[in-house]
Amino acid sequence: MDAEEAEERYRLEPVEFLTPEKIFDARWAMTVLREALKRLRQEYVTAGKTSTFETLKAFLDPNNTTAPPSYEEAANRLGVTTAGVKTLIHRLRKRYTALLREEVGRTVSDPAEIDEEIHALCEALIASEGRLYP
């Protein structure tokens, strides 16, 4: 095998764009998301609403590999109306967002950097294309 042929074969190999830095960033993003989710769950447990959290967490968990239940199914599980379950999901997402911002806020030196850091974490997750497991 000559060097030119070897180089040509190497050129045709797929290039891996998932660098160690991107892997680190994506894993860090997943860690931050998990921590916010853990804190949110604890709030629901403390309030005596564990079943509500367990029923609704699929509506915000980015690592969930299964589709969330329908609004009607969730409403039936919780014994509320469909409009009621939509309100509960909205509140859950709003609180999760607040906790996520708090978690990110702990990692930056200036609160003005929170949005930029969240954007970077999202980009890292997108770049990983789901190839990293929690």
Side-chain angles (χ1 to χ4, degrees):
M1 193 182 260
D2 63 22
E4 193 173 309
E5 184 181 349
E7 283 299 316
E8 183 63 23
R9 282 188 173 184
Y10 179 74
R11 187 183 66 76
L12 297 175
E13 290 294 315
V15 177
E16 180 61 58
F17 292 105
L18 198 56
T19 64
E21 293 82 12
K22 288 180 182 177
I23 292 170
F24 176 84
D25 290 344
R27 287 194 174 143
W28 176 245
M30 290 188 300
T31 299
V32 171
L33 290 170
R34 274 194 307 269
E35 186 60 30
L37 189 63
K38 186 171 94 178
R39 288 182 57 201
L40 182 61
R41 183 183 191 288
Q42 188 55 50
E43 286 182 6
Y44 273 75
V45 168
T46 300
K49 298 179 179 181
T50 305
S51 64
T52 300
F53 178 81
E54 293 301 325
T55 300
L56 301 180
K57 73 178 179 180
F59 290 97
L60 53 76
D61 186 359
N63 296 319
N64 189 2
T65 56
T66 60
S70 67
Y71 288 151
E72 292 79 17
E73 186 179 342
N76 288 337
R77 286 183 196 170
L78 297 174
V80 298
T81 64
T82 302
V85 86
K86 288 179 182 180
T87 300
L88 290 171
I89 292 168
H90 173 75
R91 290 177 184 160
L92 179 82
R93 288 176 175 161
K94 189 174 179 177
R95 185 63 187 143
Y96 182 61
T97 300
L99 291 170
L100 180 60
R101 291 183 67 79
E102 284 179 24
E103 287 300 317
V104 171
R106 294 178 190 189
T107 67
V108 295
S109 57
D110 182 3
E113 297 173 348
I114 292 174
D115 289 332
E116 182 180 330
E117 182 66 13
I118 289 173
H119 182 73
L121 294 174
C122 289
E123 285 182 348
L125 288 172
I126 291 167
S128 73
E129 297 176 341
R131 288 182 272 174
L132 302 176
Y133 299 99

